[in-house]
Amino acid sequence: MQQDRLHRYHFIDFETSGLGQLGSIQGNGIKGIQIAQNSVADWAEYFNKDAFETIHFGSLVCLNENGTASACREGDQTILGVASEHPTLIAGENKGDKSVPVGLTGLVRTLVSTSKGDIKPGDMITSSSLPGIGVKATKPGIVVGRALEEYKGN
């Protein structure tokens, strides 16, 4: 135990206002670097968007024909990720109303609907006819990820 303490280095903490510490980067000089997350957390990047479009946190985000982010619509083939409210790590430039943080990997709370059936853990999630809202994927295609929890519309 004493030797473990001697070889553990703590580099950076990730904190979010109102939530406290979400994670940290640690290393021990031997086994490399470890990213430790304490809660629902993701790695995100700011993407440019139209200042007049509102993209709610939890919305599926796609790359549109103008090369900017917008809320996904059914059949979109360019899903980037999910608009993230509390990313642990975030890259890019915050341009206020002209950008949106998009979770690219990790756990991101996602807005979903049961319009294609109840969602069970492990179900793949894709875009729907409701802008930004995910649904259970019922056929092969582009998905944003897997559901980790059940959702029956309540």
Side-chain angles (χ1 to χ4, degrees):
M1 180 73 101
Q2 179 68 16
Q3 186 161 349
D4 184 47
R5 282 193 198 126
L6 293 175
H7 295 287
R8 176 160 289 196
Y9 304 104
H10 188 92
F11 298 115
I12 299 172
D13 285 333
F14 303 106
E15 296 186 6
T16 298
S17 179
L19 293 178
Q21 183 180 348
L22 296 178
S24 64
I25 296 178
Q26 303 170 359
N28 63 11
I30 298 168
K31 294 183 181 178
I33 293 175
Q34 170 186 335
I35 306 295
Q37 295 179 184
N38 298 336
S39 65
V40 173
D42 61 279
W43 291 33
E45 184 162 348
Y46 284 107
F47 282 85
N48 292 331
K49 71 171 196 67
D50 184 308
F52 299 105
E53 181 179 7
T54 299
I55 300 176
H56 298 284
F57 294 124
S59 295
L60 273 63
V61 179
C62 285
L63 191 64
N64 65 30
E65 62 279 349
N66 299 326
T68 59
S70 61
C72 293
R73 288 171 171 66
E74 191 167 28
D76 277 344
Q77 300 292 302
T78 58
I79 297 175
L80 294 170
V82 177
S84 178
E85 186 171 13
H86 300 293
T88 298
L89 272 177
I90 190 162
E93 182 182 355
N94 182 352
K95 297 179 181 176
D97 290 343
K98 293 183 179 182
S99 65
V100 59
V102 178
L104 303 174
T105 187
L107 306 177
V108 186
R109 295 199 186 279
T110 306
L111 299 172
V112 293
S113 164
T114 58
S115 64
K116 298 261 176 122
D118 290 347
I119 296 171
K120 296 182 258 179
D123 284 346
M124 301 301 275
I125 304 298
T126 191
S127 57
S128 74
S129 59
L130 301 169
I133 307 298
V135 292
K136 177 166 108 174
T138 57
K139 59 184 178 183
I142 304 298
V143 298
V144 70
R146 291 185 184 274
L148 298 178
E149 299 174 352
E150 181 177 67
Y151 183 74
K152 292 184 175 186
N154 49 8

